[in-house]
Amino acid sequence: VAFGELPGFPPGSLFEDRHALAVSGVHRPPQAGICGRAEEGAESIVLSGGFVDDIDRGDEILYTGQGGRDPTSGRQVGPQRLSRGNLALANSLRHGLPVRVIRRVDGGGYRYDGLYRVEDYGPDIGEDGFLIWRFKLVALETSLMQERVRELPGLYEVARRCDVIISRVIRDTAVTRSVKRLYDYRCQVCGVQLDTPPGPYAEAAHIRPLGRPHDGPDALENVLCLCPNHHVLFDRWQLSLTDDLALIGERGRLYTHRHHVIAVANVRYHRARYEAAHAA
Ligand SMILES: [Zn+2]
């Protein structure tokens, strides 16, 4: 399983047919529209055109999941379920993983159009009257930036910064995954574990933020497992920590696993900004 851009296949890469696309690894299955593992996430999707409920606005796509469709007419003839490829796309959102989007081009052939993220999804009744699972995918601005960088090879700094931004916004790193597993997706502030159909959902918050100007490390000693509410409060300096991990801005203490050592320097970095944000 390979998420993200593949070396040698930048956005705009063309493929003669589904076989060539499959061999390249950009979209491996010879027929299916969604490539991925249900439990992990979707690597890539193909927009074939002609499916009744798909809406393609370029950088924003409403993509109908798989199942219940007559392959020749593209009409829905039965309901879809949140399983297989559809569950994979749901997990792409849950884990924040990028999806490669491939479009069929006029006159035959396929084009890789860059990375998208799954922003939203839900069940809907399609035009043909059956339940469908619909996914909203939005182009990653960063893949457009990478294009620009390719045109202007002097801007390496931008490229490097892009990589960092991708990893914060989108990529589920080994570190962020392990912190979520360590806490079984329970928020270290409130203890809540949010259940969603594909599985529990939590977010990894970097104490000292990644990217400029903070340049915090993507390391276990610099991440917390938080619910979305507490992630926003923490990132927006409404919540912080003392050196011994008492909460500032809420009552109580941060839950910590005995195998999770948090670097006090990162806590101080965060708290200094909290204090700045709350100084009169
Ligand atoms: Zn929480």
Side-chain angles (χ1 to χ4, degrees):
V1 189
F3 295 100
E5 218 129 271
L6 296 186
F9 297 103
S13 295
L14 293 168
F15 303 90
E16 201 177 321
D17 52 24
R18 285 295 296 261
H19 177 72
L21 192 56
V23 168
S24 73
V26 172
H27 186 79
R28 295 181 290 114
Q31 288 188 322
I34 304 171
C35 173
R37 288 197 198 145
E39 305 304 324
E40 285 189 56
E43 284 178 48
S44 55
I45 61 169
V46 173
L47 293 171
S48 307
F51 290 146
V52 63
D53 295 308
D54 283 355
I55 297 170
D56 187 354
R57 295 194 187 98
D59 57 4
E60 187 184 298
I61 300 164
L62 291 179
Y63 183 77
T64 315
Q66 62 184 200
R69 190 151 47 208
D70 177 48
T72 46
S73 68
R75 316 288 309 195
Q76 286 297 136
V77 293
Q80 297 186 337
R81 293 166 47 100
L82 189 60
S83 61
R84 298 163 51 229
N86 301 340
L87 187 55
L89 279 169
N91 269 313
S92 297
L93 183 148
R94 183 162 74 104
H95 297 309
L97 291 166
V99 180
R100 290 187 295 276
V101 167
I102 296 101
R103 286 186 174 84
R104 188 170 193 159
V105 291
D106 291 341
Y110 294 86
R111 184 184 62 232
Y112 168 55
D113 278 341
L115 296 177
Y116 285 63
R117 67 191 170 89
V118 180
E119 189 183 86
D120 193 16
Y121 71 94
D124 205 350
I125 300 297
E127 199 168 293
D128 291 325
F130 293 99
L131 184 134
I132 57 169
W133 283 88
R134 193 177 251 158
F135 299 86
K136 180 180 175 185
L137 290 102
V138 179
L140 283 178
E141 199 183 9
T142 40
S143 44
L144 295 173
M145 279 182 78
Q146 281 173 346
E147 278 249 281
R148 270 178 236 138
V149 167
R150 226 169 263 121
E151 290 164 16
L152 302 165
L155 293 179
Y156 264 116
E157 283 301 299
V158 179
R160 288 194 48 229
R161 189 162 169 227
C162 264
D163 289 344
V164 173
I165 292 168
I166 289 181
S167 63
R168 178 163 73 167
V169 175
I170 238 356
R171 192 178 297 150
D172 203 24
T173 64
V175 166
T176 62
R177 245 180 209 220
S178 65
V179 80
K180 292 180 206 173
R181 290 213 182 108
L182 192 60
Y183 290 95
D184 193 25
Y185 295 83
R186 276 179 203 286
C187 176
Q188 285 181 259
V189 171
C190 65
V192 161
Q193 185 203 47
L194 292 175
D195 226 356
T196 68
Y201 177 87
E203 295 180 356
H206 289 85
I207 301 168
R208 179 174 181 145
L210 298 179
R212 285 183 199 160
H214 311 290
D215 294 323
D218 188 31
L220 202 55
E221 59 173 29
N222 190 42
V223 288
L224 303 175
C225 176
L226 297 180
C227 72
N229 281 354
H230 283 122
H231 189 187
V232 170
L233 292 176
F234 191 77
D235 273 6
R236 297 288 158 259
W237 325 108
Q238 186 61 30
L239 173 68
S240 194
L241 297 164
T242 65
D243 280 359
D244 56 359
L245 304 181
L247 299 171
I248 302 172
E250 296 226 6
R251 282 162 183 264
R253 291 179 52 82
L254 191 77
Y255 296 97
T256 45
H257 190 281
R258 63 197 162 89
H259 291 145
H260 187 196
V261 177
I262 294 166
V264 72
N266 297 332
V267 168
R268 286 178 183 162
Y269 186 93
H270 187 274
R271 193 170 63 239
R273 268 139 198 87
Y274 173 93
E275 284 164 0
H278 291 269

